[in-house]
Amino acid sequence: MEKQGFIEINGEMTPFTDEKNVLEVLRNAGVNIPTLCYYSDLSVFGACRMCIVEDERGNIMTSCSTPPKDGMKIFTNTTKLFKYRRLILKMLLSSHCRECTTCPKSGDCMLQELAKRFAISEISFDRSGKAFKDELPIDASSKAIIRNPNKCIHCGDCVRMCSEVQNVGAIDFAFRGSNVQVTTAYSDPIATTNCVNCGQCAAICPTGAIDIKSDIDAVWDVINDKDKRVMVQVAPAVRVALGERFGIKDNERFNPILVAALRKLGFDEIYDTSFGADLTVIEESNEFIDRLENGGKLPLFSSCCPGWIKYAEDNHPELLENISTCKSPMEMFSSVVKEEAAISDELPDKRTPVVVAIMPCTAKKYEADREEFKINGESRTDYVLTTQELVTMIKQAGIVLASLDPEAPDINYGMYSGAGVIFGVSGGVTEAVIRRLVDQKDAASFTNISFSGVRGLESVKEVEIPYKGRTLRIAMVSGLGNTEKIIKKIESGEAHYDFVEVMACPSGCIGGGGQPRSTRRTLERRSRELYANDKISRIRHSDANPFVGRAYREIIKDDNHRLLHVHYAKED
């Protein structure tokens, strides 16, 4: 039984149980305490001081680092607290780049939001003093993110995310006092470091100090080029987050509205990346079965996540032979549609094909540019936009989603199975593969998969699945820090797995670095929406998709290795 205590908050008695700090008690009680450096999944840093509260003796304390105690009396909105919070904000703003109207984060910046909340209309501090450093160079070297240190407020969120959750540590604090910076080792360009391009630093940054590298202008250019036939593929994790962003939470109703919006934007053909996921399920399950039955290298690690691939290359090159040779759904889709354009004489539209992928993931920008995915020196995926970039494009075009009539995606690649849809959540790849391993006519087996432990937002999940007289041990992990723990267990002999699904971002693609800001509640809702989409799908297995069969017969033929597979080699 949980031990319960009571805190008096602004004169009202409030119960608490296992909350780790006063801040969580306050938020559970409906008190919106401001913070710039607190995230429940990260260690407590206590840098911003915005979450301060006052006790009955007038003492000030940070609520994020103070454990709750029975009988405490605290106040959250005294004159002293209001004065201190405004002073903190003014100090932050005094050394901050204040070109807010041209900042990509404008309207979604926590510092801007708090400045408005506390009615900051003027800054009392002079920027001309020695304490104010010169402009620092912007780092645009990465394909995934852009760093502007002049907008950094030194909250440490990105540093802790990169080291504690992702086990990468590409950025950290350097120098002291007024010279402190968040930077890479030796201030090298981020692209030359061990950054895996996951974008979690950008997702958690409260200002515009780290943001997504935008391809919006380039995509507008190809859309308006009359010599280009622009095809767009949309990942299912994008759909559930986009509907949430525009206040349409019924994903089944939102999907055809999104198709209509994409046509309004000017895309010529609109498809779903779930079609590519169906191809991936077939190829990856075939590879898994082949390794199981013919003594191949195990465990087989999934290969859908480019952040995980980069992490393995940098930290565990010895595991590259264990990683599936299957391309990601995005790259499989792009390979097939580009190949059809190259070999078919029956396509009515002879314009140059361009493939735009809308992804929840910043690392997909890096993946699209990798040499391994180019055929005859050309990328199969020409441009990658994130969910947040698509939001911007819809707003730029003045499209009012609520006024649109629903439309259907284009034929051939617009049909997909429920197995392809659930790739967007941690455990989805595993469930889709298992569906091919069990008897598809056995309804009980099919239902049991959903309740075997593959579902849920836990960072590490383990299941055992019976297959042809043996038991398959499978692990599903999200977050690269958790992945490192699994790898160490495997290498030490503490654990044995036949298959390991890895997603770099916590909870999988639904929590990707290109998504709108995520909370536990939004991640749970996105997950439910994807599984609901799967449940109502007429096709639940990837190889039951008739257009997948057509792609194999008419386009892929005997060339599936070139079009659908890739090999990652150890660097010399």
Side-chain angles (χ1 to χ4, degrees), residues 482-531:
N482 296 315
T483 303
E484 183 64 29
K485 295 174 184 176
I486 288 288
I487 291 172
K488 286 180 178 178
K489 288 175 66 175
I490 294 171
E491 292 180 339
S492 69
E494 183 182 346
H496 164 78
Y497 304 105
D498 298 290
F499 184 81
V500 181
E501 174 197 313
V502 180
M503 295 292 176
C505 295
S507 302
C509 301
I510 55 173
Q515 297 278 69
R517 189 176 292 134
S518 304
T519 64
R520 181 74 180 185
R521 184 172 297 176
T522 57
L523 291 174
E524 289 173 347
R525 193 200 63 78
R526 292 170 192 172
S527 174
R528 286 196 303 270
E529 288 288 347
L530 289 181
Y531 287 124

Side-chain angles (χ1 to χ4, degrees), residues 217-386:
D217 290 343
V219 172
W220 276 126
D221 286 344
V222 295
I223 285 176
N224 292 310
D225 188 338
K226 298 186 184 301
D227 295 325
K228 302 287 173 58
R229 174 166 64 97
V230 186
M231 299 172 279
V232 63
Q233 53 164 310
V234 185
V238 169
R239 301 197 310 258
V240 292
L242 200 69
E244 162 191 298
R245 183 67 176 77
F246 284 102
I248 305 175
K249 296 184 179 180
D250 182 348
N251 194 240
E252 183 183 358
R253 183 169 69 89
F254 178 72
N255 290 347
I257 293 175
L258 174 57
V259 173
L262 292 169
R263 286 217 168 87
K264 287 279 188 183
L265 287 174
F267 290 105
D268 297 302
E269 298 172 26
I270 299 158
Y271 302 113
D272 199 292
T273 307
S274 300
F275 179 91
D278 281 336
L279 290 171
T280 303
V281 171
I282 292 171
E283 294 296 316
E284 192 158 83
S285 57
N286 287 344
E287 182 180 12
F288 184 39
I289 292 169
D290 179 66
R291 293 198 187 200
L292 280 172
E293 298 181 352
N294 297 305
K297 205 147 193 177
L298 295 173
L300 178 66
F301 284 85
S302 64
S303 57
C304 300
C305 174
W308 149 238
I309 299 298
K310 179 69 163 56
Y311 182 84
E313 289 175 321
D314 290 343
N315 299 279
H316 293 283
E318 75 280 1
L319 292 178
L320 293 182
E321 293 181 11
N322 291 76
I323 294 176
S324 169
T325 63
C326 293
K327 292 181 180 179
S328 69
M330 179 185 85
E331 286 299 325
M332 284 198 181
F333 180 95
S334 298
S335 288
V336 169
V337 296
K338 283 284 188 74
E339 185 71 7
E340 182 182 37
I343 67 175
S344 178
D345 294 325
E346 300 178 0
L347 291 176
D349 195 334
K350 300 299 181 182
R351 293 178 295 166
T352 303
V354 175
V355 177
V356 176
I358 302 176
M359 294 285 128
C361 171
T362 56
K364 289 294 181 182
K365 293 174 180 283
Y366 163 79
E367 180 185 72
D369 195 57
R370 287 189 65 135
E371 290 297 322
E372 293 92 337
F373 295 105
K374 295 180 180 178
I375 298 179
N376 298 325
E378 295 184 0
S379 298
R380 301 288 88 184
T381 305
D382 297 287
Y383 301 98
V384 174
L385 298 173
T386 62

Side-chain angles (χ1 to χ4, degrees), residues 62-243:
T62 51
S63 59
C64 70
S65 60
T66 302
K69 296 180 181 178
D70 189 34
M72 289 179 75
K73 294 182 180 181
I74 59 173
F75 302 90
T76 64
N77 287 304
T78 65
T79 300
K80 185 193 296 186
L81 293 174
F82 190 75
K83 177 183 176 182
Y84 284 175
R85 287 180 184 138
R86 295 192 81 220
L87 180 63
I88 291 166
L89 287 170
K90 286 182 178 182
M91 292 177 68
L92 288 172
L93 289 166
S94 70
S95 59
H96 187 75
C97 169
R98 296 199 296 273
E99 297 172 350
C100 296
T101 55
T102 57
C103 179
K105 209 74 177 254
S106 184
D108 192 35
C109 169
M110 292 178 65
L111 181 61
Q112 186 183 57
E113 179 185 321
L114 289 177
K116 185 176 181 181
R117 174 175 166 181
F118 288 92
I120 307 297
S121 58
E122 61 180 5
I123 308 300
S124 309
F125 303 97
D126 182 9
R127 287 180 60 91
S128 63
K130 291 182 180 180
F132 298 102
K133 54 186 177 291
D134 295 331
E135 287 278 306
L136 295 169
I138 295 172
D139 183 357
S141 62
S142 168
K143 293 287 182 182
I145 60 172
I146 187 166
R147 296 176 56 247
N148 186 343
N150 304 296
K151 298 180 180 180
C152 181
I153 59 172
H154 307 137
C155 64
D157 294 346
C158 58
V159 172
R160 288 174 292 140
M161 173 60 74
C162 192
S163 60
E164 295 176 8
V165 175
Q166 297 299 64
N167 195 50
V168 173
I171 50 177
D172 205 339
F173 284 104
F175 312 114
R176 292 186 175 186
S178 62
N179 294 317
V180 69
Q181 294 179 34
V182 171
T183 186
T184 60
Y186 308 107
S187 297
D188 287 343
I190 190 75
T192 65
T193 71
N194 61 333
C195 171
V196 298
N197 305 287
C198 69
Q200 288 298 310
C201 56
I204 205 169
C205 178
T207 65
I210 307 180
D211 204 6
I212 298 165
K213 188 79 167 284
S214 177
D215 289 298
I216 291 175
D217 290 343
V219 172
W220 276 126
D221 286 344
V222 295
I223 285 176
N224 292 310
D225 188 338
K226 298 186 184 301
D227 295 325
K228 302 287 173 58
R229 174 166 64 97
V230 186
M231 299 172 279
V232 63
Q233 53 164 310
V234 185
V238 169
R239 301 197 310 258
V240 292
L242 200 69

